[in-house]
Amino acid sequence: MCGITGIVSNQPVRQRLYDALTVMQHRGQDAAGIVTWGEDGLRERKKNGLVRDVFHMRHMEKLTGNMGIGHIRYPTAGGARASEAQPFYVNSPYGIVLGHNGNLTNTDELAELLIREDRRHLNTGSDSEVLLNVFAHELQIRTDGEPTPEQIFDAVEAVHRRCKGGYAVVAMIVGVGLVAFRDPNGIRPLTLGRQERDDGTDYMVASESVALDVSQFERLRDVQPGEAIFVGKDRVLHSRKSASTVRHTPCIFEFVYFARPDSIIDDLSVYKTRLRMGEQLAGKIVRDFPEHDIDVVIPIPDTSRTAAVQVAHHLGAKYREGFIKNRYIGRTFIMPGQAERTQSVRRKLNAIDLEFRGKNVLLVDDSIVRGTTSRQIIKLAREAGARKVYFASAAPPVRHPNVYGIDMPAASELIANGRSEEEVQELIGADRLIYQDLHGLIRSVRHDNSSITEFDTSCFSGEYVTGDITDDYLHELEQRRNDKAKQQSGTASQQFIGSDDLSVEQSQAVGSL
């Protein structure tokens, strides 16, 4: 999962790009980058680490220009080397800089064609570089001078024909303008905003609306599936549907876990969807466990708090904060190795004994992926004196890999894969395990006024909305991206994936030059 943003203005954009990346830091903590363009030409700063560590004052001062794009990353394709930090750049045609959120599912095929037929060179194993070169090639064969909006849109249309998977893209064509587009399924989010100024209108795109909020941009709308946006250096907005066929199926896991609760994605409030997830989960508990003896509901911080409050309310039980979170430890779900995940849980959470001692406790989490965190947290609750420990997941069992940009590709590492709910309950050590139903989750996210009728639920259902995912593809993906493969490639020792902060020692390790 990554975060992207781009701004076209008549004023310097560096601070607003920095602020946007900072509020989207939850989307990726492996690397950060900003590229700007102005009278001094292209200016770039990118490096492994958190936004605050990558950009110091001396770097910000050099990022001159009134147009720019930014990117924050954690790797699902390629590696975690500094050379694979985004945005990526190619010098032909014009000079194009691109940042990408998502994952292409036909990367190998595209890479081979780019090298053999398009005569382009690839420096990394990143699918984002492949996507950039596809766009650059398609634009080059259509233009013989400064590209028109229609030529740019034609190039994006060709990208949609060639590229499969989930992707949201922001690109800057040097001296021309800003381009943003979204895959025909709208799997990965992208929103558009504007800011009226005395000298005209500034435009901004970002993965989440919170990035618009922090710089006081008005949220206009989401970029539609298959739509391309172009804002020239004259700050005139152009848009066109650039895919012949669209089917709007946004990733439902954005609402479960990844997005900030104060974001609006596809006109849906993440906060409200999580409230409804709690309501639906409470209903499931009442149906499956009508004679429950729950004394207190305790959330696993932070994502599950909104749902847990509603669960407690509807069950008539007390809501308490039973765990204190160390905010300098990473998100264990996306940490690179099993040993790191297990070790980090106790460093990450500490139990308040008085909330557990002698009580029947219901722990609520947003989801259960590998089960490492759940098992360790239940153990913490028992050590704190809980009489019984029940566990509820606001999402259904995660049984299948996600291939569209979320780093849970290895089915063998998913605790619910090939197991019943009772078997998962035994493995994590809960006295009772309650999962949300998939239809309940969909109802939670899709409210009555939503125009969206379906979602990408592949990690729960195994149904892949792009229609091109085979068993062979999933097997090959697992061999490439399971924990063992990451450790052998060195990814696990290099990447820093976590919550909004790292320890002082880690920050120094990835600090700026």
Side-chain angles (χ1 to χ4, degrees):
M1 188 62 60
C2 300
I4 59 174
T5 187
I7 301 175
V8 179
S9 176
N10 200 34
Q11 302 291 326
V13 296
R14 56 194 173 197
Q15 186 63 52
R16 287 178 284 177
L17 291 171
Y18 176 93
D19 292 342
L21 295 184
T22 299
V23 299
M24 293 193 296
Q25 186 76 84
H26 59 283
R27 299 188 67 84
Q29 302 84 39
D30 171 72
I34 292 175
V35 180
T36 59
W37 177 81
E39 293 181 355
D40 297 329
L42 279 179
R43 291 289 181 265
E44 175 190 279
R45 170 65 178 174
K46 60 179 184 177
K47 192 170 183 278
N48 276 16
L50 299 176
V51 174
R52 69 179 187 196
D53 298 318
V54 172
F55 303 101
H56 288 186
M57 183 61 70
R58 64 184 182 277
H59 308 123
M60 295 294 290
E61 289 174 345
K62 295 177 182 178
L63 292 172
T64 57
N66 300 340
M67 183 188 305
I69 67 173
H71 186 273
I72 45 177
R73 179 180 191 257
Y74 89 75
T76 53
R81 295 181 294 274
S83 63
E84 299 193 357
Q86 297 186 40
F88 284 127
Y89 170 76
V90 291
N91 64 4
S92 178
Y94 312 106
I96 302 174
V97 188
L98 179 143
H100 161 224
N101 172 35
N103 188 59
L104 301 185
T105 57
N106 62 337
T107 302
D108 292 345
E109 173 190 343
L110 286 171
E112 182 181 347
L113 290 173
L114 282 168
I115 295 169
R116 187 180 72 243
E117 297 183 6
D118 297 348
R119 299 295 189 265
R120 286 189 167 266
H121 175 73
L122 300 175
N123 293 306
T124 73
S126 172
D127 61 337
S128 302
E129 188 190 14
V130 169
L131 198 157
L132 167 59
N133 277 274
V134 171
F135 176 63
H137 173 77
E138 295 297 339
L139 185 61
Q140 187 168 27
I141 64 177
R142 287 169 170 79
T143 56
D144 190 25
E146 182 168 315
T148 65
E150 288 305 309
Q151 289 171 328
I152 293 170
F153 293 147
D154 288 343
V156 174
E157 186 172 348
V159 170
H160 290 318
R161 288 196 298 269
R162 296 181 65 178
C163 296
K164 308 298 181 184
Y167 51 89
V169 175
V170 60
M172 182 170 60
I173 305 173
V174 176
V176 179
L178 190 77
V179 185
F181 55 92
R182 198 174 175 196
D183 71 81
N185 288 92
I187 297 172
R188 301 268 69 88
L190 192 61
T191 189
L192 171 67
R194 69 180 175 193
Q195 185 180 73
E196 299 294 344
R197 305 174 66 96
D198 293 339
D199 57 4
T201 304
D202 292 354
Y203 287 97
M204 179 177 184
V205 292
S207 294
E208 293 190 34
S209 62
V210 288
L212 308 179
D213 298 338
V214 72
S215 292
Q216 297 182 301
F217 275 75
E218 173 194 359
R219 180 181 173 274
L220 283 177
R221 59 181 177 86
D222 296 283
V223 177
Q224 296 303 300
E227 181 186 20
I229 299 290
F230 172 68
V231 182
K233 57 189 175 183
D234 58 0
R235 291 189 290 166
V236 175
L237 175 69
H238 307 265
S239 67
R240 192 181 91 183
K241 177 185 173 183
S242 295
S244 57
T245 304
V246 298
R247 175 190 172 197
H248 198 179
T249 55
C251 175
I252 205 165
F253 211 73
E254 288 275 358
F255 300 90
V256 171
Y257 178 76
F258 267 103
R260 271 182 44 154
D262 46 342
S263 282
I264 305 292
I265 294 178
D266 289 312
D267 291 325
L268 297 169
S269 164
V270 177
Y271 175 73
K272 287 184 177 179
T273 64
R274 290 178 184 167
L275 285 175
R276 291 192 290 267
M277 285 164 60
E279 294 170 0
Q280 293 289 329
L281 182 58
K284 178 74 180 303
I285 293 169
V286 169
R287 292 193 301 274
D288 291 359
F289 194 13
E291 303 301 324
H292 72 79
D293 55 354
I294 298 167
D295 297 316
V296 60
V297 175
I298 294 177
I300 311 302
D302 287 311
T303 317
S304 65
R305 281 196 173 104
T306 308
V309 169
Q310 290 296 91
V311 170
H313 173 73
H314 287 280
L315 293 183
K318 294 179 181 178
Y319 171 89
R320 292 291 186 268
E321 292 286 342
F323 293 105
I324 299 301
K325 182 178 180 180
N326 179 353
R327 300 184 181 278
Y328 300 92
I329 297 296
R331 291 176 112 174
T332 51
F333 151 50
I334 51 177
M335 279 188 167
Q338 184 71 7
E340 289 89 341
R341 295 182 203 109
T342 302
Q343 185 180 8
S344 72
V345 172
R346 285 186 176 271
R347 298 199 307 264
K348 177 181 178 181
L349 295 176
N350 191 44
I352 302 174
D353 289 6
L354 65 88
E355 296 296 352
F356 292 91
R357 193 175 300 118
K359 298 177 183 177
N360 298 332
V361 178
L362 174 66
L363 303 180
V364 177
D365 209 349
D366 53 78
S367 58
I368 305 171
V369 181
R370 292 173 173 90
T372 307
T373 301
S374 306
R375 186 183 305 114
Q376 293 294 319
I377 288 173
I378 290 170
K379 187 176 180 181
L380 284 175
R382 294 197 189 281
E383 291 173 356
R387 186 166 59 242
K388 293 182 181 178
V389 182
Y390 306 123
F391 203 96
S393 168
V398 177
R399 303 189 189 277
H400 306 276
N402 183 289
V403 301
Y404 301 125
I406 297 177
D407 190 19
M408 46 179 172
S412 61
E413 295 170 5
L414 304 174
I415 192 170
N417 180 262
R419 294 188 177 98
S420 67
E421 294 183 16
E422 291 75 17
E423 289 172 323
V424 176
Q425 174 182 308
E426 183 176 353
L427 282 172
I428 65 175
D431 290 298
R432 193 176 190 114
L433 173 63
I434 303 100
Y435 274 111
Q436 178 82 278
D437 290 327
L438 180 55
H439 64 269
L441 176 61
I442 293 172
R443 279 202 304 268
S444 301
V445 180
R446 183 188 179 273
H447 60 75
D448 293 339
N449 297 324
S450 174
S451 60
I452 300 172
T453 59
E454 55 183 333
F455 296 87
D456 168 53
T457 62
S458 54
C459 59
F460 306 120
S461 64
E463 299 174 2
Y464 295 95
V465 294
T466 54
D468 61 336
I469 305 304
T470 64
D471 290 341
D472 288 343
Y473 176 87
L474 293 175
H475 176 73
E476 183 178 352
L477 193 70
E478 176 159 355
Q479 298 308 306
R480 288 184 181 184
R481 301 190 195 169
N482 60 29
D483 281 345
K484 183 178 179 181
K486 288 178 183 178
Q487 290 162 355
Q488 289 175 344
S489 69
T491 298
S493 64
Q494 295 179 58
Q495 68 186 37
F496 291 95
I497 297 178
S499 58
D500 291 349
D501 298 290
L502 294 174
S503 69
V504 173
E505 292 81 3
Q506 289 171 320
S507 297
Q508 290 171 346
V510 297
S512 53
L513 295 174

